[in-house]
Amino acid sequence: MKDFSAVIAAFTAFAVTALLGYIVIPYLRKLKFGQTILDIGPKWHKEKQGTPTMGGVMMIFGVVLALAITYSISAISGSRFFDELKTPFRLICFLAGILMALLMALIGFLDDYIKVLKKRNLGLTARQKTFLQLLVSAAYLVTLALAGMDTTYIPFVGDVNISSGIGLIFWPIALMFIYGFTNAVNLTDGVDGLASNVTLVVGCAFMLGAGLLSNSAINVLGAALAGACVGFLIWNSKPAKVFMGDTGSMFLGGMVVALSFGIGRPILLIFAGCVYFMEAISVMLQVAYFKATGKRLFKMSPIHHHFEMCGWGEEKIVIVFSMIAFVGCFIAILPIILNW
């Protein structure tokens, strides 16, 4: 009997997210939860002032409800997804990843809510946000360690022991890895549809990779994420009728991290998440170069704003960056395809 759990998860997440737009967006407008645009951003972004933000809740409900429905159907049909989650380690990894993403979203929600109250594009302080993100990241890693995660897979090398000796260095690196990528996804959310499109590509890549590795739990998780991104794009493509806010972008960041750790190959996110990486690096380079020379390396950072200032339209940026993400994702899953 074929397992259609991933299809069910993707379709349900898409439908729930898309339909919620008819409810959530008018409600956000009623509450006057509009985005405040920074004066230092591109001048033409000022026309987006007041666009409802915190729309990421649509994707969150879409993913969570899709997973709940898929699990229920799987339990009735006795599919592989249900059977796999009977394994304690797989179940803990699956639930811990979802919980971590939800807690990251909660941090983003607090940030968004403070922005709305203050009517400016500043929320939690950098110190507050960093502390909370590191706390969630550490709790996630501790959970994985206690569940029995003692190896990580590196292409061309194989399984590497991370429970003793030099392998213990994996954990502090992993902590900064989670923190870094969560924030990098947040930085990618700067033009209409960019973060959603890029994450759609990344979600599909890990869905495929998990399927090839016979990891049904992460296969379904990736499918739900991809479906939710498509549903959100109905409302977030240019001209965006709603922004995901930090609530959504930090949820997406947590989800892509959960997918990479869920298949035991977080290193693959360096390639699959190359666009996120590029966005974060551009900000760090801009700051370092300005401090050293007093000049800007890019016209504006993150890098997508640089291309905007060079005359690229938002649609072109989304298409090009999505293509880059596709190439990075192909490189990421190639070792899985070839069993390297």
Side-chain angles (χ1 to χ4, degrees):
M1 181 178 177
K2 292 185 177 180
D3 187 355
F4 293 100
S5 296
V7 176
I8 295 169
F11 179 79
T12 306
F14 161 75
V16 172
T17 304
L19 291 174
L20 276 176
Y22 291 103
I23 301 171
V24 173
I25 296 174
Y27 187 67
L28 291 173
R29 286 202 185 101
K30 183 179 179 180
L31 293 176
K32 300 187 186 302
F33 279 14
Q35 179 76 23
T36 301
I37 306 299
L38 281 172
D39 293 329
I40 61 173
K43 294 180 180 179
W44 50 90
H45 278 207
K46 276 294 181 180
E47 66 189 32
K48 302 180 182 184
Q49 182 88 10
T51 301
T53 188
M54 298 170 69
V57 295
M58 294 156 56
M59 290 188 289
I60 295 170
F61 276 104
V63 169
V64 172
L65 192 56
L67 293 174
I69 291 174
T70 303
Y71 181 80
S72 299
I73 295 174
S74 180
I76 295 171
S77 63
S79 69
R80 187 197 303 174
F81 176 55
F82 176 74
D83 290 336
E84 189 172 292
L85 290 182
K86 292 179 181 178
T87 306
F89 179 71
R90 285 284 175 90
L91 177 62
I92 292 173
C93 287
F94 181 74
L95 293 178
I98 297 169
L99 181 58
M100 180 268 293
L102 290 174
L103 289 174
M104 289 295 186
L106 178 59
I107 297 170
F109 178 84
L110 292 174
D111 196 37
D112 284 333
Y113 190 71
I114 293 171
K115 290 175 187 177
V116 170
L117 287 181
K118 294 185 177 181
K119 297 297 181 184
R120 61 193 180 95
N121 209 22
L122 294 172
L124 293 170
T125 66
R127 183 173 295 181
Q128 290 171 333
K129 191 183 291 187
T130 297
F131 172 76
L132 291 173
Q133 289 174 328
L134 289 176
L135 183 64
V136 171
S137 301
Y140 175 60
L141 291 173
V142 168
T143 302
L144 293 182
L146 292 176
M149 180 176 173
D150 55 7
T151 63
T152 187
Y153 189 89
I154 299 177
F156 306 107
V157 177
D159 289 324
V160 177
N161 188 301
I162 57 174
S163 62
S164 61
I166 191 66
L168 290 174
I169 198 173
F170 167 83
W171 299 104
I173 293 175
L175 180 67
M176 300 312 299
F177 181 91
I178 298 171
Y179 169 77
F181 266 102
T182 303
N183 282 287
V185 176
N186 182 239
L187 291 171
T188 306
D189 181 35
V191 299
D192 296 354
L194 180 57
S196 305
N197 269 287
V198 170
T199 304
L200 167 61
V201 176
V202 176
C204 287
F206 278 106
M207 177 182 67
L208 176 58
L212 292 171
L213 293 169
S214 298
N215 189 327
S216 182
I218 302 304
N219 178 252
V220 169
L221 192 62
L225 176 61
C229 285
V230 176
F232 189 71
L233 279 168
I234 291 176
W235 304 101
N236 186 236
S237 294
K238 186 176 174 63
K241 297 175 180 62
V242 68
F243 297 140
M244 67 176 66
D246 285 7
T247 305
S249 61
M250 291 184 66
F251 174 71
L252 295 185
M255 284 291 288
V256 296
V257 166
L259 292 174
S260 66
F261 276 83
I263 62 172
R265 306 184 182 205
I267 194 172
L268 298 186
L269 189 55
I270 295 174
F271 303 100
C274 60
V275 170
Y276 309 138
F277 189 73
M278 179 175 67
E279 296 276 18
I281 288 295
S282 70
V283 173
M284 291 187 282
L285 289 175
Q286 181 86 320
V287 172
Y289 190 79
F290 186 80
K291 286 183 177 180
T293 66
K295 300 178 181 180
R296 290 185 174 88
L297 181 62
F298 305 107
K299 291 184 179 181
M300 188 176 290
S301 66
I303 194 69
H304 59 259
H305 284 323
H306 171 79
F307 289 109
E308 270 196 287
M309 300 296 284
C310 289
W312 286 28
E314 291 188 47
E315 296 94 337
K316 181 177 180 179
I317 292 172
V318 170
I319 292 171
V320 172
F321 278 42
S322 296
M323 290 174 64
I324 293 171
F326 179 84
V327 173
C329 286
F330 177 76
I331 294 172
I333 66 171
L334 189 60
I336 298 176
I337 296 172
L338 300 178
N339 198 28
W340 287 346

